[in-house]
Amino acid sequence: MGFLEFSQLFMSFMSGNTTRFGVAVASQDWENVARVASTIIVFCFGAFLGTLLAALFGRWRLAALLIIEAALLGLGLLMPWGSYAYPLHAYPIVLALGLQNAILQDEGGRSLALTYVTGAVVRFGTGLANLMLGTVASSFWIQAPLWAGLSSGAVLGGILQIRYGESAFLFPAALAALLALVALVLTLAKPGSPLVAGISPAPDAAPHAKPVARHVSA
């Protein structure tokens, strides 16, 4: 949706934006350099912010980060357009997608690739090898569904954007809000369950890092 809406600017694939950044610098297209570089910076800040918030909210992080993501996706519709070099209306969406990568982790505390497909494809390939070696991690089984989910979202998002334009972002915003409600109910019903957030270090922290789950009394 973002790729179609914002003149082929990648909202979450920073490898694609990095390639475009290199081409823009080589071509001395400074307006495009600013456009792509600022998007990469905002996305990186989203991952930074998401990790801090995941540590702050502890076992509530799934519900909290999803509702923040929903709010950011909706905020993009209210932001001024800005300029081609600095597309202000795209930044809340990019921030939300950067933040999203801190939402889920595998059993080793590593962030699951939720907004880009390369990590899922690589981990699926290495997981197949480990499956043959008898050393496969349980996170292997989610890699193919992640790719399928991202691919299905690209198709559905494209259809929605073509039909509704920028307003199509209300669909993922509403979905994120609904999932936040589900996560909140599950967190209350199954406190400490690894199916929700569990008790684990902040995303991609060192193995010896202390768990970040906090118990909040009513």
Side-chain angles (χ1 to χ4, degrees):
M1 288 165 61
F3 183 78
L4 293 172
E5 181 66 30
F6 301 113
S7 302
Q8 299 187 345
L9 180 67
F10 291 107
M11 299 287 99
S12 63
F13 303 140
M14 294 304 112
S15 54
N17 280 339
T18 300
T19 301
R20 297 189 68 183
F21 173 80
V23 172
V25 171
S27 305
Q28 298 184 19
D29 182 359
W30 306 120
E31 190 177 34
N32 218 14
V33 168
R35 174 180 173 83
V36 178
S38 63
T39 300
I40 295 172
I41 291 170
V42 171
F43 184 87
C44 182
F45 179 72
F48 163 82
L49 183 62
T51 302
L52 291 182
L53 291 174
L56 174 66
F57 288 112
R59 70 187 182 98
W60 303 99
R61 66 179 178 269
L62 184 57
L65 291 177
L66 279 169
I67 197 63
I68 293 171
E69 181 182 355
L72 287 170
L73 289 171
L75 180 62
L77 298 176
L78 304 176
M79 288 286 288
W81 276 72
S83 63
Y84 180 82
Y86 299 100
L88 299 180
H89 58 310
Y91 291 160
I93 297 165
V94 174
L95 184 65
L97 294 175
L99 180 146
Q100 180 175 298
N101 286 286
I103 288 180
L104 293 181
Q105 301 165 243
D106 62 17
E107 72 280 357
R110 296 171 297 183
S111 297
L112 292 176
L114 298 182
T115 61
Y116 52 96
V117 73
T118 304
V121 173
V122 169
R123 288 184 181 179
F124 183 75
T126 56
L128 283 176
N130 284 318
L131 185 64
M132 293 180 62
L133 295 171
T135 56
V136 67
S138 58
S139 59
F140 162 73
W141 303 105
I142 199 174
Q143 303 308 324
L146 280 175
W147 178 87
L150 192 60
S151 300
S152 300
V155 174
L156 180 59
I159 294 171
L160 290 172
Q161 194 280 331
I162 290 170
R163 182 164 183 176
Y164 297 106
E166 192 176 18
S167 296
F169 283 105
L170 291 174
F171 286 89
L175 178 59
L178 177 62
L179 290 174
L181 179 61
V182 172
L184 180 61
V185 171
L186 288 175
T187 303
L188 291 170
K190 298 179 177 295
S193 171
L195 297 176
V196 184
I199 300 175
S200 59
D204 297 310
H208 60 271
K210 294 181 178 180
V212 296
R214 289 170 171 77
H215 299 284
V216 180
S217 59

